[in-house]
Amino acid sequence: MPNRPRTFRTLTFVTASLVLAGFSTPLAADPARTGGTEVIVEVTNLRSGEGTVRACMTADPERFPRCRDDARSFRVVVPASQAHELHFRGVSPGRYAIALLHDENDNGRADRALGMMPKEGFGFSRDAPVRMGPPKFDEAAIAVGETAQHRSIRMRYML
């Protein structure tokens, strides 16, 4: 971002750090769920096959993007080399938002440089914008109905 003002770069780095802070605890794999439909996420722009991709999907606007302490959220953790498609199964109809973290060193947390600049990739459903803070649930929300959903999420990297 060489052509952007220093203030804008700092705000962007702080914003992304806040978003990624929610991934500091490892995500468990989806429990077996019956009924519902499947949400299939194509992950694009993944810069390497190193580490894991951690994903969470929630219907709770208060828990997005972290999904922390959300027993009803859906979580998937897969090796990055196999993260071309992520599957959330047994999803009831409703509005959900998805957040991804490319945990390249697989240490279970979002690493930052200089305490604020994200070193690992992140992405959101609907390519929700990252501005002065994490994206809002409504900006990332997708509608899930009775039939399988196919979505694409582009990974972003600051470094």
Side-chain angles (χ1 to χ4, degrees), residues 46 48-53 77-86 102 106:
L46 197 62
S48 77
E50 299 295 315
T52 58
V53 171
V77 179
V78 297
S81 62
Q82 299 170 19
H84 304 291
E85 276 191 358
L86 306 176
H102 182 192
D106 199 19

Side-chain angles (χ1 to χ4, degrees), residues 97-142:
I98 304 169
L100 305 180
L101 169 69
H102 182 192
D103 186 3
E104 289 180 281
N105 60 5
D106 199 19
N107 66 353
R109 61 187 176 92
D111 295 315
R112 295 180 290 278
L114 304 172
M116 68 166 111
M117 211 172 351
K119 293 169 65 175
E120 298 173 309
F122 55 92
F124 302 100
S125 46
R126 293 184 55 207
D127 203 22
V130 176
R131 294 186 195 111
M132 298 294 287
K136 295 184 184 330
F137 178 87
D138 288 338
E139 295 173 317
I142 59 171

Side-chain angles (χ1 to χ4, degrees), residues 4-17:
R4 304 239 174 137
R6 181 175 176 80
T7 303
F8 179 81
R9 286 190 308 234
T10 302
L11 289 173
T12 301
F13 296 143
V14 169
T15 297
S17 296

Side-chain angles (χ1 to χ4, degrees), residues 43-64:
V43 180
T44 65
N45 205 36
L46 197 62
R47 78 172 163 198
S48 77
E50 299 295 315
T52 58
V53 171
R54 300 174 184 279
C56 74
M57 182 172 74
T58 183
D60 185 345
E62 299 298 316
R63 304 279 192 231
F64 180 76

